[in-house]
Amino acid sequence: AQTVTQSQPEMSVQEAETVTLSCTYDTSESDYYLFWYKQPPSRQMILVIRQEAYKQQNATENRFSVNFQKAAKSFSLKISDSQLGDAAMYFCAYRSAGAGNQFYFGTGTSLTVIP
Amino acid sequence: DTAVSQTPKYLVTQMGNDKSIKCEQNLGHDTMYWYKQDSKKFLKIMFSYNNKELIINETVPNRFSPKSPDKAHLNLHINSLELGDSAVYFCASSRWGQGANTEAFFGQGTRLTVV
């Protein structure tokens, strides 16, 4: 089974600054999808950004961008101009493009935004 | 117009009871999932259904039984509840296969507390 590792249980960032959350994964597949989800205290899981493995270009969504390094199996999330509302648990997720379509989640990174 | 809705949001019950959590999605997805999120926020897959058929059944006690009456519904029934079953249970859905829009959409979660 694929594994997803988030090595930073907790991170903090000053409001308006930039922070990068790390994620690595282990797979033998060549085609797959990667995601970052945000879980605020309301506990709703919200998609932040997605990346298809076959695309070399890094995905961006407004203040959120990723650094996808396929050979290194690394998928980090950069949050620019951090806002108080960005405070949440962030999960990195991997989804196989093959049979099962199962999602594998990392253990999460708790992000605190300091005013 | 909620995409994935699960009921109830909160469930407090005594040990030994039987309870059900219902999930419905109106996204036209053909794959649905149940995840358990423990106190450390770790998300663990329990079951996955595709077109009403069980695809993934991780190591889950037999007391947990999913039922999918149709593609849009996936319910979770739990028999003889134990203290260790206390957690947040998430229902999710996604498209089957490859291509764009392969992310999972989550319900708001059901916080189950067994006393």
Side-chain angles (χ1 to χ4, degrees):
Chain A
Q2 283 73 11
T3 56
V4 179
T5 302
Q6 293 179 248
S7 59
Q8 305 153 316
E10 297 177 345
M11 291 282 285
S12 62
V13 62
Q14 207 76 30
E15 196 175 1
E17 296 296 311
T18 296
V19 65
T20 298
L21 308 184
S22 300
C23 174
T24 58
Y25 55 95
D26 184 26
T27 185
S28 58
E29 299 175 331
S30 59
D31 196 15
Y32 48 87
Y33 306 92
L34 297 165
F35 309 89
W36 278 98
Y37 282 88
K38 168 185 176 181
Q39 186 180 38
S42 66
R43 81 167 180 252
Q44 179 68 52
M45 293 286 286
I46 302 164
L47 178 70
V48 174
I49 199 164
R50 75 170 75 83
Q51 175 81 43
E52 291 88 351
Y54 62 84
K55 289 187 178 178
Q56 292 186 339
Q57 188 171 8
N58 289 325
T60 62
E61 286 287 343
N62 301 314
R63 299 182 294 108
F64 299 87
S65 61
V66 298
N67 183 2
F68 173 47
Q69 302 287 330
K70 192 172 183 180
K73 297 179 184 174
S74 170
F75 182 61
S76 60
L77 174 69
K78 185 170 86 170
I79 307 174
S80 303
D81 186 25
S82 297
Q83 300 175 0
L84 294 178
D86 294 334
M89 196 77 168
Y90 285 82
F91 292 95
C92 179
Y94 170 104
R95 176 189 151 160
S96 170
N101 284 180
Q102 185 177 349
F103 289 81
Y104 298 88
F105 287 86
T107 49
T109 297
S110 178
L111 179 67
T112 300
V113 180
I114 303 165
Chain B
D1 195 19
T2 306
V4 182
S5 61
Q6 54 182 108
T7 54
K9 288 182 68 174
Y10 298 93
L11 186 54
V12 180
T13 186
Q14 290 188 323
M15 278 175 55
N17 283 351
D18 303 339
K19 290 294 179 185
S20 292
I21 307 172
K22 296 187 176 183
C23 179
E24 175 182 5
Q25 54 95 3
N26 62 5
L27 297 166
H29 290 160
D30 40 24
T31 306
M32 296 185 72
Y33 313 82
W34 277 109
Y35 281 88
K36 178 180 180 180
Q37 186 174 44
D38 61 23
S39 58
K40 294 184 178 179
K41 304 290 187 181
F42 182 62
L43 275 161
K44 183 181 175 184
I45 181 74
M46 299 175 69
F47 303 102
S48 169
Y49 271 73
N50 177 251
N51 281 322
K52 302 194 300 176
E53 291 195 15
L54 182 65
I55 301 297
I56 294 169
N57 182 357
E58 291 293 316
T59 306
V60 175
N62 290 338
R63 300 181 294 103
F64 291 80
S65 55
K67 283 189 171 51
S68 182
D70 55 57
K71 279 190 348 178
H73 295 82
L74 180 61
N75 304 322
L76 183 65
H77 188 75
I78 316 170
N79 289 327
S80 303
L81 277 155
E82 300 177 357
L83 292 177
D85 297 333
S86 295
V88 177
Y89 292 84
F90 282 98
C91 176
S93 73
S94 73
R95 280 182 58 244
W96 179 264
Q98 305 181 34
N101 303 322
T102 52
E103 67 268 26
F105 289 78
F106 285 80
Q108 69 270 50
T110 296
R111 180 176 291 282
L112 172 65
T113 303
V114 182
V115 298

Short mmCIF file of all heavy atoms in Angstrom, two decimals, chain A residues 31 33 35 37 39 42-47 50 52 54 89 91 95-107, chain B residues 9-10 33 35 37 41-43 45 55-56 58 88 90 94-99 101-104 106-109 111:
data_model
loop_
_atom_site.label_atom_id
_atom_site.label_comp_id
_atom_site.label_asym_id
_atom_site.label_seq_id
_atom_site.Cartn_x
_atom_site.Cartn_y
_atom_site.Cartn_z
N ASP A 31 1.22 6.83 -12.54
CA ASP A 31 0.09 7.73 -12.71
C ASP A 31 -0.73 7.77 -11.43
O ASP A 31 -1.18 6.71 -10.96
CB ASP A 31 -0.78 7.28 -13.90
CG ASP A 31 -1.73 8.37 -14.34
OD1 ASP A 31 -1.53 9.54 -13.94
OD2 ASP A 31 -2.68 8.07 -15.08
N TYR A 33 -2.74 10.82 -8.38
CA TYR A 33 -3.18 12.18 -8.10
C TYR A 33 -2.79 12.53 -6.67
O TYR A 33 -2.80 11.68 -5.79
CB TYR A 33 -4.71 12.29 -8.25
CG TYR A 33 -5.20 11.80 -9.59
CD1 TYR A 33 -5.60 10.48 -9.77
CD2 TYR A 33 -5.26 12.66 -10.69
CE1 TYR A 33 -6.03 10.02 -11.00
CE2 TYR A 33 -5.70 12.19 -11.93
CZ TYR A 33 -6.07 10.88 -12.07
OH TYR A 33 -6.50 10.43 -13.29
N PHE A 35 -3.30 15.54 -3.48
CA PHE A 35 -4.21 16.57 -2.99
C PHE A 35 -3.71 17.12 -1.66
O PHE A 35 -3.03 16.43 -0.90
CB PHE A 35 -5.63 15.99 -2.76
CG PHE A 35 -6.19 15.23 -3.91
CD1 PHE A 35 -5.96 13.87 -4.04
CD2 PHE A 35 -6.96 15.87 -4.87
CE1 PHE A 35 -6.49 13.15 -5.11
CE2 PHE A 35 -7.50 15.16 -5.93
CZ PHE A 35 -7.25 13.81 -6.05
N TYR A 37 -5.78 18.77 1.58
CA TYR A 37 -7.06 19.08 2.19
C TYR A 37 -6.82 19.88 3.46
O TYR A 37 -5.83 19.70 4.16
CB TYR A 37 -7.82 17.80 2.56
CG TYR A 37 -8.50 17.11 1.41
CD1 TYR A 37 -7.82 16.17 0.64
CD2 TYR A 37 -9.83 17.39 1.09
CE1 TYR A 37 -8.45 15.53 -0.42
CE2 TYR A 37 -10.46 16.75 0.04
CZ TYR A 37 -9.77 15.83 -0.71
OH TYR A 37 -10.39 15.19 -1.76
N GLN A 39 -8.62 21.00 7.13
CA GLN A 39 -9.68 20.69 8.08
C GLN A 39 -9.66 21.72 9.20
O GLN A 39 -8.87 21.63 10.14
CB GLN A 39 -9.53 19.27 8.66
CG GLN A 39 -10.69 18.87 9.53
CD GLN A 39 -10.56 17.46 10.10
OE1 GLN A 39 -9.47 17.03 10.47
NE2 GLN A 39 -11.66 16.74 10.17
N SER A 42 -14.12 23.38 12.42
CA SER A 42 -15.47 22.90 12.10
C SER A 42 -15.47 21.44 11.68
O SER A 42 -16.53 20.82 11.56
CB SER A 42 -16.07 23.74 10.98
OG SER A 42 -15.34 23.53 9.77
N ARG A 43 -14.30 20.88 11.42
CA ARG A 43 -14.00 19.50 11.02
C ARG A 43 -14.38 19.16 9.57
O ARG A 43 -14.13 18.05 9.11
CB ARG A 43 -14.54 18.46 12.01
CG ARG A 43 -16.00 18.11 11.90
CD ARG A 43 -16.32 16.86 12.72
NE ARG A 43 -17.72 16.50 12.62
CZ ARG A 43 -18.59 16.65 13.60
NH1 ARG A 43 -18.20 17.13 14.76
NH2 ARG A 43 -19.85 16.31 13.44
N GLN A 44 -14.95 20.10 8.85
CA GLN A 44 -15.24 19.85 7.44
C GLN A 44 -13.93 19.71 6.67
O GLN A 44 -13.01 20.49 6.83
CB GLN A 44 -16.06 21.01 6.86
CG GLN A 44 -16.40 20.87 5.41
CD GLN A 44 -17.37 19.73 5.14
OE1 GLN A 44 -18.42 19.65 5.75
NE2 GLN A 44 -17.03 18.85 4.22
N MET A 45 -13.84 18.70 5.83
CA MET A 45 -12.66 18.49 4.98
C MET A 45 -12.85 19.28 3.69
O MET A 45 -13.80 19.04 2.94
CB MET A 45 -12.50 17.00 4.66
CG MET A 45 -12.15 16.16 5.88
SD MET A 45 -10.47 16.38 6.41
CE MET A 45 -9.60 15.48 5.14
N ILE A 46 -11.93 20.18 3.43
CA ILE A 46 -12.05 21.08 2.29
C ILE A 46 -10.85 20.90 1.36
O ILE A 46 -9.70 20.94 1.80
CB ILE A 46 -12.08 22.56 2.77
CG1 ILE A 46 -13.23 22.76 3.74
CG2 ILE A 46 -12.19 23.52 1.58
CD1 ILE A 46 -13.13 24.05 4.54
N LEU A 47 -11.12 20.69 0.09
CA LEU A 47 -10.03 20.55 -0.88
C LEU A 47 -9.36 21.90 -1.07
O LEU A 47 -10.01 22.90 -1.32
CB LEU A 47 -10.57 20.06 -2.22
CG LEU A 47 -9.52 19.92 -3.32
CD1 LEU A 47 -8.57 18.76 -3.01
CD2 LEU A 47 -10.17 19.73 -4.68
N ARG A 50 -5.18 20.38 -6.04
CA ARG A 50 -4.93 19.05 -6.58
C ARG A 50 -3.82 19.11 -7.63
O ARG A 50 -3.59 20.14 -8.24
CB ARG A 50 -6.20 18.47 -7.21
CG ARG A 50 -6.55 19.07 -8.54
CD ARG A 50 -7.66 18.30 -9.24
NE ARG A 50 -8.97 18.55 -8.65
CZ ARG A 50 -9.73 19.61 -8.96
NH1 ARG A 50 -9.31 20.51 -9.81
NH2 ARG A 50 -10.90 19.75 -8.40
N GLU A 52 -2.18 16.50 -10.79
CA GLU A 52 -2.10 15.24 -11.52
C GLU A 52 -0.63 14.91 -11.75
O GLU A 52 0.13 15.78 -12.17
CB GLU A 52 -2.83 15.34 -12.87
CG GLU A 52 -4.34 15.45 -12.75
CD GLU A 52 -4.83 16.89 -12.61
OE1 GLU A 52 -4.00 17.79 -12.43
OE2 GLU A 52 -6.05 17.09 -12.68
N TYR A 54 0.85 13.35 -14.02
CA TYR A 54 1.36 13.44 -15.39
C TYR A 54 1.61 14.89 -15.81
O TYR A 54 2.20 15.15 -16.86
CB TYR A 54 0.40 12.77 -16.36
CG TYR A 54 -0.98 13.38 -16.43
CD1 TYR A 54 -1.25 14.49 -17.24
CD2 TYR A 54 -2.03 12.85 -15.69
CE1 TYR A 54 -2.51 15.04 -17.30
CE2 TYR A 54 -3.30 13.40 -15.74
CZ TYR A 54 -3.55 14.51 -16.54
OH TYR A 54 -4.80 15.04 -16.60
N MET A 89 -5.94 22.07 10.29
CA MET A 89 -5.15 20.86 10.07
C MET A 89 -5.08 20.67 8.56
O MET A 89 -6.10 20.79 7.88
CB MET A 89 -5.86 19.68 10.72
CG MET A 89 -5.00 18.47 10.92
SD MET A 89 -3.89 18.69 12.32
CE MET A 89 -3.30 17.00 12.48
N PHE A 91 -4.00 18.09 5.45
CA PHE A 91 -3.71 16.71 5.11
C PHE A 91 -3.26 16.61 3.66
O PHE A 91 -3.91 17.15 2.76
CB PHE A 91 -4.94 15.82 5.30
CG PHE A 91 -5.37 15.66 6.72
CD1 PHE A 91 -6.34 16.48 7.27
CD2 PHE A 91 -4.80 14.67 7.52
CE1 PHE A 91 -6.74 16.33 8.59
CE2 PHE A 91 -5.20 14.51 8.83
CZ PHE A 91 -6.17 15.35 9.38
N ARG A 95 -3.94 9.53 -4.36
CA ARG A 95 -4.96 8.65 -4.91
C ARG A 95 -4.39 7.94 -6.12
O ARG A 95 -3.87 8.56 -7.04
CB ARG A 95 -6.21 9.41 -5.32
CG ARG A 95 -7.24 8.49 -5.99
CD ARG A 95 -8.40 9.21 -6.59
NE ARG A 95 -8.91 8.44 -7.72
CZ ARG A 95 -10.12 8.58 -8.23
NH1 ARG A 95 -10.95 9.46 -7.73
NH2 ARG A 95 -10.48 7.85 -9.25
N SER A 96 -4.53 6.63 -6.14
CA SER A 96 -4.09 5.85 -7.27
C SER A 96 -4.99 6.10 -8.47
O SER A 96 -6.18 6.33 -8.32
CB SER A 96 -4.12 4.36 -6.90
OG SER A 96 -3.92 3.57 -8.04
N ALA A 97 -4.42 6.06 -9.65
CA ALA A 97 -5.22 6.17 -10.88
C ALA A 97 -5.70 4.80 -11.31
O ALA A 97 -6.49 4.68 -12.23
CB ALA A 97 -4.40 6.81 -11.99
N GLY A 98 -5.23 3.78 -10.63
CA GLY A 98 -5.57 2.42 -11.02
C GLY A 98 -6.73 1.86 -10.23
O GLY A 98 -7.58 2.58 -9.74
N ALA A 99 -6.73 0.56 -10.10
CA ALA A 99 -7.84 -0.14 -9.45
C ALA A 99 -7.99 0.28 -7.99
O ALA A 99 -7.01 0.52 -7.30
CB ALA A 99 -7.61 -1.65 -9.52
N GLY A 100 -9.23 0.36 -7.57
CA GLY A 100 -9.49 0.70 -6.18
C GLY A 100 -9.71 2.17 -5.94
O GLY A 100 -10.52 2.54 -5.10
N ASN A 101 -8.99 3.01 -6.66
CA ASN A 101 -9.13 4.46 -6.50
C ASN A 101 -9.10 4.90 -5.05
O ASN A 101 -9.78 5.83 -4.65
CB ASN A 101 -10.45 4.94 -7.15
CG ASN A 101 -10.35 4.96 -8.66
OD1 ASN A 101 -11.28 5.31 -9.36
ND2 ASN A 101 -9.20 4.58 -9.18
N GLN A 102 -8.32 4.20 -4.26
CA GLN A 102 -8.31 4.50 -2.84
C GLN A 102 -7.48 5.74 -2.55
O GLN A 102 -6.49 6.01 -3.21
CB GLN A 102 -7.72 3.32 -2.06
CG GLN A 102 -7.78 3.49 -0.56
CD GLN A 102 -7.24 2.28 0.17
OE1 GLN A 102 -7.02 1.23 -0.43
NE2 GLN A 102 -7.03 2.40 1.45
N PHE A 103 -7.93 6.51 -1.54
CA PHE A 103 -7.20 7.68 -1.09
C PHE A 103 -6.37 7.29 0.14
O PHE A 103 -6.87 6.65 1.06
CB PHE A 103 -8.16 8.81 -0.70
CG PHE A 103 -8.85 9.44 -1.87
CD1 PHE A 103 -9.96 8.85 -2.44
CD2 PHE A 103 -8.39 10.64 -2.40
CE1 PHE A 103 -10.61 9.43 -3.52
CE2 PHE A 103 -9.04 11.23 -3.49
CZ PHE A 103 -10.15 10.63 -4.04
N TYR A 104 -5.11 7.71 0.14
CA TYR A 104 -4.25 7.51 1.30
C TYR A 104 -3.90 8.89 1.86
O TYR A 104 -3.49 9.78 1.12
CB TYR A 104 -2.96 6.79 0.91
CG TYR A 104 -3.17 5.41 0.34
CD1 TYR A 104 -3.40 5.22 -1.02
CD2 TYR A 104 -3.16 4.29 1.16
CE1 TYR A 104 -3.60 3.96 -1.54
CE2 TYR A 104 -3.35 3.02 0.64
CZ TYR A 104 -3.57 2.87 -0.70
OH TYR A 104 -3.78 1.62 -1.23
N PHE A 105 -4.07 9.04 3.17
CA PHE A 105 -3.84 10.33 3.81
C PHE A 105 -2.61 10.31 4.69
O PHE A 105 -2.29 9.30 5.32
CB PHE A 105 -5.06 10.72 4.66
CG PHE A 105 -6.25 11.14 3.84
CD1 PHE A 105 -7.14 10.20 3.37
CD2 PHE A 105 -6.46 12.47 3.54
CE1 PHE A 105 -8.23 10.57 2.60
CE2 PHE A 105 -7.55 12.87 2.77
CZ PHE A 105 -8.43 11.91 2.30
N GLY A 106 -1.94 11.46 4.75
CA GLY A 106 -0.87 11.64 5.72
C GLY A 106 -1.46 11.89 7.09
O GLY A 106 -2.68 11.96 7.26
N THR A 107 -0.59 12.03 8.07
CA THR A 107 -1.03 12.18 9.46
C THR A 107 -1.41 13.61 9.81
O THR A 107 -1.87 13.88 10.90
CB THR A 107 0.05 11.70 10.42
OG1 THR A 107 1.29 12.31 10.04
CG2 THR A 107 0.20 10.19 10.38
N LYS B 9 -24.97 14.48 12.96
CA LYS B 9 -23.67 15.12 13.14
C LYS B 9 -23.03 14.71 14.45
O LYS B 9 -21.80 14.65 14.57
CB LYS B 9 -23.81 16.63 13.09
CG LYS B 9 -24.10 17.20 11.72
CD LYS B 9 -24.18 18.70 11.74
CE LYS B 9 -22.85 19.36 12.04
NZ LYS B 9 -22.91 20.83 11.91
N TYR B 10 -23.85 14.48 15.43
CA TYR B 10 -23.37 14.05 16.74
C TYR B 10 -24.20 12.85 17.19
O TYR B 10 -25.42 12.80 16.96
CB TYR B 10 -23.51 15.17 17.78
CG TYR B 10 -22.69 16.40 17.45
CD1 TYR B 10 -23.26 17.46 16.76
CD2 TYR B 10 -21.36 16.48 17.83
CE1 TYR B 10 -22.51 18.59 16.44
CE2 TYR B 10 -20.60 17.61 17.52
CZ TYR B 10 -21.18 18.64 16.83
OH TYR B 10 -20.44 19.75 16.53
N TYR B 33 -17.09 6.18 0.26
CA TYR B 33 -16.14 5.70 1.26
C TYR B 33 -16.63 6.00 2.68
O TYR B 33 -17.37 6.96 2.89
CB TYR B 33 -14.78 6.41 1.11
CG TYR B 33 -14.21 6.51 -0.28
CD1 TYR B 33 -14.62 7.51 -1.16
CD2 TYR B 33 -13.22 5.63 -0.71
CE1 TYR B 33 -14.08 7.63 -2.42
CE2 TYR B 33 -12.68 5.73 -1.98
CZ TYR B 33 -13.11 6.73 -2.83
OH TYR B 33 -12.57 6.85 -4.09
N TYR B 35 -14.53 6.73 6.29
CA TYR B 35 -13.26 6.91 6.97
C TYR B 35 -13.52 7.10 8.46
O TYR B 35 -14.53 7.67 8.86
CB TYR B 35 -12.54 8.17 6.46
CG TYR B 35 -11.84 7.98 5.14
CD1 TYR B 35 -12.52 8.20 3.94
CD2 TYR B 35 -10.51 7.60 5.08
CE1 TYR B 35 -11.88 8.02 2.72
CE2 TYR B 35 -9.86 7.42 3.87
CZ TYR B 35 -10.55 7.63 2.70
OH TYR B 35 -9.92 7.46 1.49
N GLN B 37 -11.75 8.91 11.78
CA GLN B 37 -10.71 9.83 12.23
C GLN B 37 -10.60 9.73 13.74
O GLN B 37 -11.56 10.06 14.46
CB GLN B 37 -11.00 11.27 11.80
CG GLN B 37 -9.85 12.23 12.13
CD GLN B 37 -10.07 13.63 11.59
OE1 GLN B 37 -11.16 14.18 11.69
NE2 GLN B 37 -9.03 14.21 11.01
N LYS B 41 -6.38 12.65 14.95
CA LYS B 41 -6.73 13.19 13.64
C LYS B 41 -6.32 12.29 12.48
O LYS B 41 -6.42 12.71 11.33
CB LYS B 41 -6.12 14.59 13.42
CG LYS B 41 -6.52 15.59 14.48
CD LYS B 41 -7.97 15.96 14.36
CE LYS B 41 -8.34 17.08 15.31
NZ LYS B 41 -9.76 17.43 15.21
N PHE B 42 -5.86 11.09 12.76
CA PHE B 42 -5.47 10.20 11.67
C PHE B 42 -6.70 9.68 10.94
O PHE B 42 -7.64 9.19 11.57
CB PHE B 42 -4.63 9.04 12.21
CG PHE B 42 -4.15 8.11 11.15
CD1 PHE B 42 -3.32 8.55 10.16
CD2 PHE B 42 -4.55 6.79 11.15
CE1 PHE B 42 -2.87 7.69 9.17
CE2 PHE B 42 -4.11 5.92 10.16
CZ PHE B 42 -3.27 6.37 9.17
N LEU B 43 -6.69 9.77 9.61
CA LEU B 43 -7.81 9.34 8.78
C LEU B 43 -7.53 7.94 8.25
O LEU B 43 -6.57 7.73 7.51
CB LEU B 43 -8.00 10.27 7.59
CG LEU B 43 -8.82 11.52 7.82
CD1 LEU B 43 -8.54 12.55 6.75
CD2 LEU B 43 -10.31 11.20 7.85
N ILE B 45 -9.08 4.59 6.19
CA ILE B 45 -10.14 4.06 5.34
C ILE B 45 -10.75 2.84 6.01
O ILE B 45 -10.05 2.00 6.58
CB ILE B 45 -9.61 3.70 3.93
CG1 ILE B 45 -10.73 3.18 3.03
CG2 ILE B 45 -8.48 2.69 4.01
CD1 ILE B 45 -11.66 4.23 2.54
N ILE B 55 -15.54 -2.59 -2.56
CA ILE B 55 -14.24 -2.64 -3.21
C ILE B 55 -13.13 -2.82 -2.19
O ILE B 55 -12.20 -3.58 -2.39
CB ILE B 55 -13.99 -1.35 -4.04
CG1 ILE B 55 -15.08 -1.17 -5.10
CG2 ILE B 55 -12.60 -1.37 -4.65
CD1 ILE B 55 -15.12 -2.25 -6.14
N ILE B 56 -13.23 -2.05 -1.12
CA ILE B 56 -12.21 -2.09 -0.09
C ILE B 56 -12.87 -2.37 1.25
O ILE B 56 -13.85 -1.74 1.61
CB ILE B 56 -11.44 -0.75 -0.01
CG1 ILE B 56 -10.62 -0.52 -1.28
CG2 ILE B 56 -10.53 -0.71 1.22
CD1 ILE B 56 -10.05 0.87 -1.38
N GLU B 58 -11.10 -2.69 4.76
CA GLU B 58 -9.90 -2.77 5.58
C GLU B 58 -10.19 -3.57 6.84
O GLU B 58 -11.32 -3.99 7.09
CB GLU B 58 -9.43 -1.36 5.92
CG GLU B 58 -8.90 -0.60 4.72
CD GLU B 58 -7.62 -1.19 4.18
OE1 GLU B 58 -6.73 -1.54 4.97
OE2 GLU B 58 -7.49 -1.28 2.94
N VAL B 88 -14.56 10.35 15.00
CA VAL B 88 -15.35 11.04 13.99
C VAL B 88 -15.36 10.17 12.74
O VAL B 88 -14.31 9.74 12.28
CB VAL B 88 -14.78 12.44 13.66
CG1 VAL B 88 -15.61 13.10 12.55
CG2 VAL B 88 -14.77 13.32 14.91
N PHE B 90 -16.27 9.84 8.78
CA PHE B 90 -16.51 10.64 7.58
C PHE B 90 -16.98 9.76 6.44
O PHE B 90 -16.37 8.71 6.15
CB PHE B 90 -15.25 11.36 7.13
CG PHE B 90 -14.91 12.58 7.93
CD1 PHE B 90 -13.98 12.53 8.94
CD2 PHE B 90 -15.53 13.79 7.64
CE1 PHE B 90 -13.67 13.65 9.69
CE2 PHE B 90 -15.21 14.93 8.37
CZ PHE B 90 -14.28 14.85 9.40
N SER B 94 -16.40 10.09 -4.63
CA SER B 94 -15.55 10.56 -5.72
C SER B 94 -15.97 9.90 -7.01
O SER B 94 -16.73 8.92 -7.02
CB SER B 94 -14.07 10.26 -5.43
OG SER B 94 -13.80 8.88 -5.58
N ARG B 95 -15.44 10.43 -8.11
CA ARG B 95 -15.61 9.77 -9.39
C ARG B 95 -14.70 8.56 -9.44
O ARG B 95 -13.60 8.57 -8.89
CB ARG B 95 -15.22 10.72 -10.54
CG ARG B 95 -16.25 11.73 -10.93
CD ARG B 95 -15.76 12.56 -12.09
NE ARG B 95 -15.41 11.77 -13.26
CZ ARG B 95 -14.20 11.66 -13.77
NH1 ARG B 95 -13.17 12.26 -13.22
NH2 ARG B 95 -13.98 10.94 -14.84
N TRP B 96 -15.16 7.53 -10.14
CA TRP B 96 -14.32 6.37 -10.38
C TRP B 96 -13.49 6.62 -11.62
O TRP B 96 -13.94 7.26 -12.55
CB TRP B 96 -15.21 5.14 -10.57
CG TRP B 96 -14.45 3.87 -10.84
CD1 TRP B 96 -14.17 3.32 -12.05
CD2 TRP B 96 -13.87 3.01 -9.87
NE1 TRP B 96 -13.46 2.17 -11.89
CE2 TRP B 96 -13.26 1.94 -10.56
CE3 TRP B 96 -13.82 3.03 -8.47
CZ2 TRP B 96 -12.61 0.90 -9.90
CZ3 TRP B 96 -13.18 2.00 -7.81
CH2 TRP B 96 -12.57 0.96 -8.53
N GLY B 97 -12.28 6.14 -11.63
CA GLY B 97 -11.47 6.20 -12.84
C GLY B 97 -10.50 7.35 -12.85
O GLY B 97 -10.17 7.94 -11.82
N GLN B 98 -10.03 7.68 -14.02
CA GLN B 98 -8.98 8.67 -14.17
C GLN B 98 -9.53 9.96 -14.76
O GLN B 98 -10.69 10.07 -15.08
CB GLN B 98 -7.89 8.10 -15.09
CG GLN B 98 -7.34 6.78 -14.63
CD GLN B 98 -6.25 6.26 -15.54
OE1 GLN B 98 -5.50 7.03 -16.09
NE2 GLN B 98 -6.19 4.96 -15.70
N GLY B 99 -8.65 10.93 -14.88
CA GLY B 99 -9.02 12.19 -15.50
C GLY B 99 -9.15 13.29 -14.47
O GLY B 99 -8.69 13.18 -13.34
N ASN B 101 -10.95 16.13 -11.94
CA ASN B 101 -11.96 16.11 -10.87
C ASN B 101 -12.03 14.75 -10.18
O ASN B 101 -13.10 14.15 -10.06
CB ASN B 101 -13.33 16.49 -11.43
CG ASN B 101 -13.31 17.84 -12.09
OD1 ASN B 101 -12.65 18.76 -11.63
ND2 ASN B 101 -14.01 17.96 -13.19
N THR B 102 -10.91 14.28 -9.74
CA THR B 102 -10.87 12.97 -9.10
C THR B 102 -10.82 13.07 -7.58
O THR B 102 -10.62 12.07 -6.91
CB THR B 102 -9.64 12.19 -9.58
OG1 THR B 102 -8.49 13.02 -9.41
CG2 THR B 102 -9.77 11.78 -11.03
N GLU B 103 -11.00 14.28 -7.07
CA GLU B 103 -10.87 14.43 -5.62
C GLU B 103 -12.06 13.84 -4.89
O GLU B 103 -13.11 13.59 -5.47
CB GLU B 103 -10.74 15.92 -5.24
CG GLU B 103 -11.98 16.76 -5.51
CD GLU B 103 -11.95 17.39 -6.87
OE1 GLU B 103 -11.27 16.86 -7.78
OE2 GLU B 103 -12.60 18.44 -7.04
N ALA B 104 -11.87 13.61 -3.60
CA ALA B 104 -12.94 13.13 -2.75
C ALA B 104 -13.67 14.32 -2.14
O ALA B 104 -13.06 15.31 -1.75
CB ALA B 104 -12.38 12.25 -1.64
N PHE B 106 -16.17 15.29 0.97
CA PHE B 106 -16.47 14.75 2.28
C PHE B 106 -17.77 15.29 2.86
O PHE B 106 -18.12 16.46 2.63
CB PHE B 106 -15.34 15.08 3.26
CG PHE B 106 -14.10 14.25 3.07
CD1 PHE B 106 -13.19 14.56 2.07
CD2 PHE B 106 -13.87 13.14 3.86
CE1 PHE B 106 -12.06 13.80 1.88
CE2 PHE B 106 -12.73 12.36 3.68
CZ PHE B 106 -11.82 12.69 2.69
N GLY B 107 -18.42 14.45 3.63
CA GLY B 107 -19.52 14.92 4.46
C GLY B 107 -18.94 15.69 5.66
O GLY B 107 -17.73 15.79 5.82
N GLN B 108 -19.82 16.21 6.49
CA GLN B 108 -19.37 17.04 7.60
C GLN B 108 -18.89 16.23 8.79
O GLN B 108 -18.44 16.78 9.78
CB GLN B 108 -20.49 18.01 8.03
CG GLN B 108 -21.68 17.33 8.69
CD GLN B 108 -22.76 16.93 7.71
OE1 GLN B 108 -22.48 16.28 6.69
NE2 GLN B 108 -23.99 17.29 7.99
N GLY B 109 -19.00 14.92 8.69
CA GLY B 109 -18.52 14.06 9.77
C GLY B 109 -19.58 13.82 10.84
O GLY B 109 -20.46 14.65 11.08
N ARG B 111 -19.60 12.84 14.83
CA ARG B 111 -18.81 12.60 16.04
C ARG B 111 -19.56 11.60 16.90
O ARG B 111 -20.62 11.91 17.45
CB ARG B 111 -18.56 13.87 16.81
CG ARG B 111 -17.73 13.64 18.08
CD ARG B 111 -17.40 14.93 18.81
NE ARG B 111 -16.48 15.75 18.07
CZ ARG B 111 -15.18 15.55 18.01
NH1 ARG B 111 -14.62 14.55 18.66
NH2 ARG B 111 -14.41 16.38 17.32
#
